[in-house]
Amino acid sequence: MNNLCLFDLDHTLLPLDSDHEFGEFLIRQGLADAVEYRQRNDGFYQQYCDGTLVLGEYIQFTTSIWREMDAAGQQALQQAFMDEVVFPAMRPQAVELVERHRAMGDLIAIVTATNEFVTRPIADAFNVPELLAVKLVRDTLGRVTGDIDGVPSFREGKITRVEQWLAQQGRQLTDFDRVSFYSDSPNDLPLLERANDPVATNPSPALEAVAHERGWRILRLFA
């Protein structure tokens, strides 16, 4: 088999938005203000849903709390988020979907607009080593600066990041017999349109309308 399978993460493999939930988690941990931080976090999430998000501004905001922590503190925060939020939200049907493609011999990657700090442990939990998330700039001491490293995996940038990743292996999208992409969001239309097996997964109303119009598969993993 010579197939490629790409997964969006939030509301696709997980029944939540890990970026937004991480902000709520920081509030519960007493690390962020429950009024001002939540208001800004909710505002950025609404911009994402509306398709108006300026990603660089959001990354500066969402990394502002934890990037001043030392490595041990950051790792403890990641683990607590996984234990409290992510593991309870993981559904067997999502894990089984990934495993089904793995069993078919597909090359698998998660392609997400959420940053690598939040999503690396989640990709590991799904046993997917290949994670194309928003990369974060680090200074000479390895500390996150709040800036985005390279092209963010967001909207059209997801195509760029996938093409860069494949090029490192001497491959391109057209080398694959089947390119599947599972996503819930119209923000992912550019990459969905490049796949020959686009799957609207737990789709938003806007994406569901496009899927019906174009005859794409619709998959509902979560009730």
Side-chain angles (χ1 to χ4, degrees):
M1 302 292 287
N2 184 38
N3 298 321
L4 174 65
C5 183
L6 307 172
F7 293 99
D8 177 47
L9 180 62
D10 300 320
H11 294 296
T12 299
L13 289 179
L14 290 175
L16 50 76
D17 185 281
S18 58
D19 238 351
H20 183 264
E21 289 298 322
F22 192 76
E24 287 293 310
F25 167 75
L26 292 175
I27 292 170
R28 290 194 300 274
Q29 293 287 308
L31 297 171
D33 180 77
V35 176
E36 181 181 356
Y37 192 91
R38 176 174 286 127
Q39 183 178 38
R40 293 196 66 196
N41 194 41
D42 289 349
F44 279 120
Y45 181 61
Q46 187 60 53
Q47 290 172 18
Y48 171 78
C49 294
D50 294 341
T52 61
L53 179 66
V54 179
L55 191 61
E57 294 178 3
Y58 178 61
I59 292 297
Q60 282 286 342
F61 165 76
T62 195
T63 63
S64 61
I65 301 293
W66 57 262
R67 68 178 187 245
E68 300 301 326
M69 295 179 176
D70 61 20
Q74 291 178 1
Q75 290 172 4
L77 197 66
Q78 287 174 309
Q79 188 60 55
F81 179 63
M82 292 296 295
D83 291 341
E84 179 182 316
V85 178
V86 177
F87 287 133
M90 289 180 66
R91 300 290 183 264
Q93 57 268 39
V95 175
E96 289 165 5
L97 176 63
V98 175
E99 291 305 316
R100 187 157 63 248
H101 280 277
R102 195 191 319 279
M104 290 190 294
D106 292 5
L107 178 62
I108 297 172
I110 290 174
V111 191
T112 175
T114 301
N115 72 77
E116 59 188 351
F117 179 81
V118 171
T119 56
R120 179 69 268 173
I122 302 174
D124 290 344
F126 278 98
N127 194 25
V128 178
E130 301 292 352
L131 172 67
L132 308 181
V134 173
K135 296 174 65 177
L136 303 172
V137 172
R138 295 178 180 273
D139 65 19
T140 55
L141 297 178
R143 297 173 302 196
V144 169
T145 67
D147 295 321
I148 295 172
D149 184 0
V151 176
S153 44
F154 183 48
R155 298 185 186 138
E156 294 83 358
K158 285 195 174 185
I159 297 174
T160 302
R161 290 289 303 283
V162 169
E163 289 177 336
Q164 290 174 342
W165 167 60
L166 291 175
Q168 291 170 357
Q169 307 170 54
R171 306 169 99 172
Q172 54 188 354
L173 281 168
T174 54
D175 292 338
F176 296 91
D177 299 323
R178 187 190 72 236
V179 178
S180 302
F181 180 39
Y182 292 81
S183 176
D184 72 293
S185 173
N187 281 305
D188 285 339
L189 277 171
L191 186 52
L192 283 163
E193 290 168 345
R194 289 291 298 274
N196 58 21
D197 180 33
V199 187
T201 310
N202 318 311
S204 69
L207 182 59
E208 184 169 359
V210 173
H212 281 301
E213 178 183 322
R214 301 187 186 184
W216 292 352
R217 280 199 292 149
I218 295 176
L219 174 65
R220 303 190 193 282
L221 280 179
F222 315 122

